[in-house]
Amino acid sequence: MDQKKTEPGSSHCNGMSQVVLYGEFTATDNIKVRYSLCLTELDLTVQKITSATAGQSKLVFNLRDCIGCQAFKGDDSTDVGAYFSAFFYPFKKRWMSSGVARQRVEQCFRVELGQDPFANLEEAQQWARTINEYSAHHRPHREGVLYSQVRQPCRVMLLLNPYSGKGQALALFNTHIQRMLTEAGILYTLVITERQNHARELVREADLSQWDALVIMSGDGLLFEVVNGLMEREDWETAIQTPLGILPGGSGNALAASVHHYAGYQPLLSEELLLSCGFLLCKGLVSQMDLVSINTSSNQRLFSFLSLAWGFVADVDIESEKYRYVGAARFTVGTLVRLACLRVYQGRLAYLPAEEAVHPAEDTPPLPPSAFCASLLCQPSKASSNQNTFHNSCNSNNAIKARRGEAPAGAPRGPRDSLLVPLEQPVPGDWTVVEEEDFVLVLAMYQSHLSEDMMAAPDSTLQDGLIHLYYIKAGISRTALLRLFLAMEKGTHMACDCPHIVYVKVRALRLEPLSPKGVITVDGELLDYGPVQAQVHPGLARLVCV
């Protein structure tokens, strides 16, 4: 088959960008149907070659929506042609509702320059390499954020809890994520967790040199295990720099929703959110992420990436476990049940106000400033020869929540809490002390979302070095509280001008419950009930995001 090429820069496709490659190929299923392909630095234009007026049957695919392109030989040994497929996930209008969501589009073509199968394959490989190269130049990123590189070729351990959410995580992986990783050329090993704290034990003992990223497909609880497993290692300083990826497979999916929000995209839920997060994982920018150290009166020290909650939010999180079978709607049901019997808790609260955003601590290894376009893309390979999938008998990581987080014997690891004093001592003089108060809730957030559809801290970012502290005082009506939570879907709850809610940005805090019974949660996980204090550690972890 004839193929025409232009020298790069000799012409423009659509009159906009320089042409990198041009060729004419046939359809994979019908060699009588021919297409012209024009690849520029920005996009791939596909046009069906017919006698019709020029411009008809033309499709333009932006390379920023491409996660990979692969070249391959056909299954028929007598076929001298070669093939290449490019995989795009552009935003397109939903079929049955308003708004847009990413939808998969594959473009596959047959190359036959002549009867030499090696020359045909070489040409297909050139197209695949070039598309991959230029799509890597167009990864989404935010101004002012530094990114690090992932080693190439990348190797990913993907930890999956099959019982998270409605128990569909494994089916969703098989339907969407497995294909996306293969299309992006990402080598992975799938590990299905067997029991509570299984992931924590795995990463605590694993040889991390085998992996370039750890990806979690579950709710936020599994990532909580992984973070604390990394921080319990002797080499925690380097271990916690292992890039972490998050794919929503649970009920809350707060971090996944936050990552999607940070990318500047419209809110999405369920499988649409999963597809978006899978796309961001495959594009593979790695940013810093703040962690918060949590200290309890029982000398327990944990690390948190999402939230610390006491009162209404914590009650709903734990008590709604019985509605897990309805998925994310469990929180709605739990909220309505708790509103019907609103509780008030007595306690003391103190915090260190943050006058300005905190930059990463001096002892936190900085990201290379020149590495802002890192990718998880690897060389194309057949998944069957490069992945080991372990299917174990499984129990839910998020079954009725027992106290978790007990570290191995020995001194707690991690950076020093320079802003905190022992819990038995008074807080420092530069702290703000809230007089003994009756609270409906206390909520400390360090990501934008509390769940898929609750933007509790819209001003939060991954690495702002801040704890976004909210507390609601007793006296608020059920109607006003419900109005606040409804407004939280769009992050407009502070515009409700409710006198009972207080919001302040802090660097550290101390909470001392005085009510004899109650629930405190960290990242949705049950914590020992009693006095607790926390400090943010800016940029301590790494997260695959934008």
Side-chain angles (χ1 to χ4, degrees):
M1 174 183 176
D2 293 336
Q3 184 186 36
K4 302 175 184 177
K5 292 185 182 179
T6 62
E7 293 297 326
S10 63
S11 65
H12 292 70
C13 184
N14 296 329
M16 296 178 61
S17 304
Q18 290 185 343
V19 174
V20 178
L21 287 176
Y22 175 84
E24 295 181 5
F25 308 106
T26 60
T28 56
D29 55 350
N30 187 347
I31 62 174
K32 295 183 180 180
V33 179
R34 302 172 64 220
Y35 296 91
S36 67
L37 270 64
C38 179
L39 178 66
T40 73
E41 297 177 352
L42 300 177
D43 48 46
L44 174 68
T45 300
V46 179
Q47 185 166 7
K48 192 174 182 179
I49 302 175
T50 66
S51 59
T53 304
Q56 291 185 350
S57 303
K58 179 187 292 186
L59 298 173
V60 179
F61 298 94
N62 197 307
L63 292 180
R64 69 168 177 259
D65 297 324
C66 179
I67 65 169
C69 185
Q70 299 182 4
F72 53 94
K73 290 287 294 178
D75 296 332
D76 187 351
S77 59
T78 63
D79 183 5
V80 299
Y83 303 82
F84 65 94
S85 289
F87 307 99
F88 296 87
Y89 285 80
F91 279 107
K92 301 175 69 175
K93 290 184 178 180
R94 296 186 177 101
W95 300 112
M96 301 296 292
S97 60
S98 60
V100 296
R102 290 199 182 276
Q103 298 178 29
R104 180 180 181 272
V105 178
E106 178 181 357
Q107 291 291 299
C108 186
F109 303 96
R110 182 176 184 273
V111 179
E112 187 178 353
L113 300 176
Q115 295 302 306
D116 185 351
F118 298 103
N120 294 332
L121 182 59
E122 182 179 351
E123 187 66 22
Q125 290 172 338
Q126 180 185 2
W127 274 85
R129 284 194 304 269
T130 308
I131 290 174
N132 282 329
E133 175 186 353
Y134 281 95
S135 65
H137 295 166
H138 298 285
R139 301 183 186 97
H141 66 278
R142 292 174 287 146
E143 295 297 328
V145 178
L146 299 180
Y147 298 98
S148 64
Q149 291 184 343
V150 178
R151 292 169 295 191
Q152 301 288 328
C154 73
R155 299 152 300 174
V156 169
M157 178 193 288
L158 197 151
L159 296 140
L160 183 148
N161 175 12
Y163 279 75
S164 60
K166 292 189 290 186
Q168 298 178 338
L170 183 57
L172 291 172
F173 172 83
N174 291 331
T175 302
H176 298 292
I177 300 303
Q178 184 177 38
R179 178 173 61 187
M180 295 183 78
L181 295 177
T182 301
E183 292 169 351
I186 296 176
L187 313 181
Y188 68 91
T189 294
L190 176 64
V191 178
I192 299 179
T193 57
E194 297 177 347
R195 61 188 181 279
Q196 181 179 322
N197 277 324
H198 184 194
R200 187 174 190 158
E201 297 164 4
L202 281 174
V203 301
R204 190 166 58 208
E205 305 297 334
D207 178 6
L208 295 180
S209 65
Q210 297 184 45
W211 312 108
D212 302 306
L214 302 175
V215 177
I216 289 82
M217 185 165 179
S218 180
D220 298 302
L222 198 61
L223 182 58
F224 175 82
E225 286 191 20
V226 169
V227 166
N228 282 280
L230 294 174
M231 293 303 296
E232 289 163 2
R233 295 170 59 103
E234 291 186 7
D235 62 344
W236 66 266
E237 290 181 275
T238 54
I240 197 59
Q241 294 181 59
T242 304
L244 303 173
I246 185 70
L247 296 170
S251 300
N253 303 320
L255 183 59
S258 298
V259 167
H260 177 81
H261 169 71
Y262 299 147
Y265 301 148
Q266 297 178 11
L268 295 176
L269 303 174
S270 304
E271 291 187 45
E272 292 179 340
L273 177 62
L274 175 62
L275 211 62
S276 175
C277 290
F279 173 83
L280 294 175
L281 175 67
C282 291
K283 295 301 280 189
L285 292 177
V286 181
S287 173
Q288 293 177 328
M289 179 174 69
D290 299 339
L291 292 182
V292 171
S293 59
I294 307 292
N295 296 271
T296 72
S297 57
S298 59
N299 293 322
Q300 191 179 30
R301 191 183 191 214
L302 303 170
F303 286 86
S304 167
F305 63 89
L306 180 63
S307 66
L308 170 68
W310 176 51
F312 188 90
V313 170
D315 291 345
V316 169
D317 198 3
I318 298 302
E319 294 172 4
S320 66
E321 284 286 342
K322 62 179 70 115
Y323 311 119
R324 177 171 292 278
Y325 60 90
V326 299
R330 62 176 260 216
F331 300 111
T332 302
V333 177
T335 297
L336 295 175
V337 170
R338 185 47 45 218
L339 276 172
C341 186
L342 194 59
R343 294 171 180 161
V344 173
Y345 296 92
Q346 191 175 50
R348 288 189 289 263
L349 179 65
Y351 54 83
L352 176 62
E355 296 181 358
E356 58 184 21
V358 182
H359 298 289
E362 293 181 0
D363 58 350
T364 300
L367 293 169
S370 61
F372 69 93
C373 58
S375 174
L376 289 177
L377 300 182
C378 308
Q379 295 299 318
S381 57
K382 293 184 178 179
S384 59
S385 61
N386 289 286
Q387 68 189 47
N388 297 311
T389 303
F390 301 96
H391 293 276
N392 300 318
S393 58
C394 308
N395 296 313
S396 173
N397 280 51
N398 296 309
I400 298 302
K401 299 190 178 183
R403 288 185 176 89
R404 55 167 58 187
E406 290 79 0
R413 306 190 192 279
R416 184 173 66 90
D417 292 324
S418 59
L419 302 178
L420 303 178
V421 297
L423 272 166
E424 62 270 15
Q425 297 180 13
V427 296
D430 57 345
W431 283 45
T432 298
V433 178
V434 179
E435 295 297 332
E436 188 172 311
E437 185 71 75
D438 288 340
F439 297 94
V440 171
L441 69 83
V442 174
L443 175 64
M445 293 286 301
Y446 4 108
Q447 303 299 339
S448 62
H449 282 65
L450 188 59
S451 65
E452 283 187 5
D453 56 354
M454 293 187 68
M455 195 188 306
D459 294 335
S460 178
T461 65
L462 275 174
Q463 50 181 331
D464 57 13
L466 299 172
I467 298 174
H468 299 258
L469 176 62
Y470 296 84
Y471 60 92
I472 296 179
K473 297 177 288 186
I476 187 172
S477 68
R478 291 178 175 82
T479 302
L481 186 58
L482 178 59
R483 188 181 300 117
L484 282 176
F485 276 91
L486 292 175
M488 202 175 287
E489 292 183 6
K490 296 183 178 180
T492 59
H493 44 290
M494 294 308 298
C496 293
D497 197 26
C498 176
H500 294 89
I501 186 171
V502 178
Y503 166 53
V504 61
K505 298 176 182 178
V506 308
R507 298 176 60 190
L509 64 90
R510 177 183 290 183
L511 171 64
E512 298 178 79
L514 298 179
S515 297
K517 295 183 180 180
V519 172
I520 299 177
T521 58
V522 175
D523 297 352
E525 304 299 302
L526 197 63
L527 191 68
D528 290 335
Y529 188 68
V532 61
Q533 58 184 4
Q535 172 185 330
V536 65
H537 293 277
L540 185 59
R542 305 289 183 262
L543 187 71
V544 181
C545 63
V546 296

